[in-house]
Amino acid sequence: MLTAAVRLFNTHGYDATSMFDIAESLGITKSTLYHHVSGKEQLLTMAVDRALGALEEAAREALDSPDPATVRLRRLIRRSVLVLAERLEFVTLLLRVHGNTAAEQQAVDRRRAFDRIVTDLVKQAQAEGGVRADVDAATAARLIFGMVNSLIEWYKPDRGAPESIADTVSDLAFDGLRTH
Amino acid sequence: MLTAAVRLFNTHGYDATSMFDIAESLGITKSTLYHHVSGKEQLLTMAVDRALGALEEAAREALDSPDPATVRLRRLIRRSVLVLAERLEFVTLLLRVHGNTAAEQQAVDRRRAFDRIVTDLVKQAQAEGGVRADVDAATAARLIFGMVNSLIEWYKPDRGAPESIADTVSDLAFDGLRTH
């Protein structure tokens, strides 16, 4: 049910999708659908939770680990790529949500909290000397996650195993394109 | 007129915006609007052309220049960032278009042609030894432009002058986060 809803949200937009559309795509009546979920907002919350739950777990591990910030940042980038590759439709929905309703606003707020953790980790890694200090930490965090988040536009399993894409992203993020 | 249309397309989606909505936001009648443009498709074509025209010009210069591919790739990344920062709303529309109508499909095709030029440039830069050969060229091109394109999600003039963001993107793309 959740997968069907997410597919419709991603194809036609959250606003443009009705409970009737979701019921119809499942071949059930709207009243049967309402028997299972309270409404569209609950489906959105459940769906973005699949994406945010996994990203927040990765962030929590990055915060709790005793390793240097540079190591933790690299691990968080790798794990985020794996979450995106494995939960692509849920993350796609999360990244397209814009905060028009309470459920959407909550998703946007949780995303921002994740972004802040990444920025703080970049700052710590700069302070310990592992990450260049000549770039603004928030800009670097946005650009690196721009690379990670681009997966929703192009990733397909035939373009590489998640582990291999995660290696490429963390290699490019840390060492860049230049030959070493 | 074009700016008003693009603003509506970006806020509510191209599909969800009607010629009536555009006329209303301009405070004119629909028939006055039709006096200037043939329809929504023409407005879309004009708008994505503002983005694609500038990107294609940068790509053409990268192709025509006698410089090494590595230099041309770096210049193309820089110039693309400048185009995005300066024509943010037009590029936002371009990147969200999905090819449901002839005008949208044409924009998608032109975008793909641009992506192919970037991938070819990465391949040439790898062949001349300036870019690491251990990453797939198409994947590297997608990830680097994921970084560039992320500007549509977060760029605001108070987050840095276009020139300075362009430097940060090309530095990170070539040298990565690591301290050198």
Side-chain angles (χ1 to χ4, degrees):
Chain A
M1 185 180 294
L2 197 55
T3 308
V6 169
R7 199 154 293 157
L8 288 174
F9 293 158
N10 284 340
T11 311
H12 304 291
Y14 176 69
D15 288 351
T17 303
S18 67
M19 284 291 273
F20 177 79
D21 298 328
I22 298 166
E24 201 183 30
S25 85
L26 289 163
I28 61 176
T29 64
K30 211 167 85 168
S31 73
T32 306
L33 182 58
Y34 272 112
H35 189 71
H36 294 282
V37 288
S38 62
K40 220 170 75 161
E41 293 241 312
Q42 193 192 341
L43 284 165
L44 180 81
T45 301
M46 286 163 70
V48 297
D49 205 58
R50 294 277 176 106
L52 279 165
L55 290 169
E56 285 164 353
E57 197 192 309
R60 210 157 30 237
E61 280 188 33
L63 291 177
D64 293 346
S65 156
D67 292 326
T70 311
V71 172
R72 289 183 286 137
L73 175 62
R74 186 164 188 141
R75 200 182 291 142
L76 181 54
I77 293 168
R78 266 199 112 266
R79 290 224 13 203
S80 299
V81 173
L82 294 179
V83 171
L84 260 84
E86 281 154 13
R87 304 186 180 202
L88 203 61
E89 292 195 298
F90 297 110
V91 182
T92 300
L93 179 62
L94 171 66
L95 295 178
R96 290 194 185 151
V97 147
H98 279 295
N100 297 319
T101 60
E104 287 173 275
Q105 191 50 53
Q106 203 192 18
V108 167
D109 291 345
R110 283 171 70 184
R111 239 193 98 184
R112 290 211 181 116
F114 179 85
D115 293 346
R116 274 194 300 275
I117 291 171
V118 178
T119 299
D120 284 346
L121 217 44
V122 172
K123 279 185 193 155
Q124 287 175 48
Q126 287 177 322
E128 74 187 19
V131 163
R132 57 199 295 165
D134 64 343
V135 293
D136 171 65
T139 305
R142 287 187 191 105
L143 289 170
I144 297 303
F145 271 79
M147 205 151 84
V148 173
N149 293 339
S150 77
L151 264 83
I152 70 162
E153 303 293 339
W154 61 265
Y155 182 69
K156 293 173 194 169
D158 68 3
R159 289 185 169 164
E163 291 282 341
S164 136
I165 302 287
D167 288 338
T168 303
V169 174
S170 70
D171 286 352
L172 280 184
F174 273 81
D175 296 315
L177 287 168
R178 197 187 295 280
T179 311
H180 291 287
Chain B
M1 187 181 293
L2 197 54
T3 308
V6 169
R7 199 152 297 158
L8 288 173
F9 293 159
N10 284 340
T11 312
H12 304 292
Y14 176 70
D15 288 351
T17 304
S18 68
M19 284 292 273
F20 176 80
D21 298 329
I22 299 166
E24 201 183 29
S25 85
L26 289 163
I28 61 176
T29 65
K30 211 167 86 168
S31 73
T32 306
L33 182 58
Y34 273 112
H35 190 72
H36 295 281
V37 289
S38 63
K40 217 169 77 163
E41 294 241 312
Q42 195 192 338
L43 284 166
L44 181 80
T45 301
M46 287 164 69
V48 297
D49 206 56
R50 294 275 177 106
L52 278 164
L55 290 170
E56 285 164 352
E57 198 191 310
R60 212 158 29 239
E61 281 188 32
L63 290 176
D64 292 347
S65 157
D67 293 326
T70 310
V71 173
R72 291 184 284 136
L73 175 61
R74 187 164 186 140
R75 201 182 291 142
L76 181 54
I77 291 169
R78 264 197 115 268
R79 291 223 16 203
S80 300
V81 173
L82 295 178
V83 171
L84 259 85
E86 282 154 12
R87 304 185 180 204
L88 203 63
E89 290 196 301
F90 297 110
V91 182
T92 301
L93 179 62
L94 171 67
L95 295 178
R96 288 192 185 154
V97 147
H98 277 296
N100 297 319
T101 61
E104 287 172 275
Q105 190 52 52
Q106 205 191 16
V108 169
D109 291 344
R110 284 171 72 184
R111 238 194 99 183
R112 290 212 180 115
F114 178 85
D115 293 344
R116 274 194 299 275
I117 291 171
V118 178
T119 300
D120 284 347
L121 216 46
V122 172
K123 278 185 192 155
Q124 287 174 49
Q126 287 176 321
E128 74 188 20
V131 163
R132 59 200 293 166
D134 64 341
V135 294
D136 171 65
T139 304
R142 288 188 191 104
L143 289 171
I144 297 303
F145 271 78
M147 206 150 84
V148 173
N149 293 339
S150 76
L151 264 83
I152 68 164
E153 304 293 341
W154 60 266
Y155 182 69
K156 292 174 195 169
D158 68 4
R159 288 185 169 163
E163 291 283 340
S164 136
I165 302 286
D167 288 338
T168 304
V169 174
S170 71
D171 285 352
L172 280 185
F174 273 81
D175 296 315
L177 288 169
R178 197 187 295 280
T179 311
H180 291 287

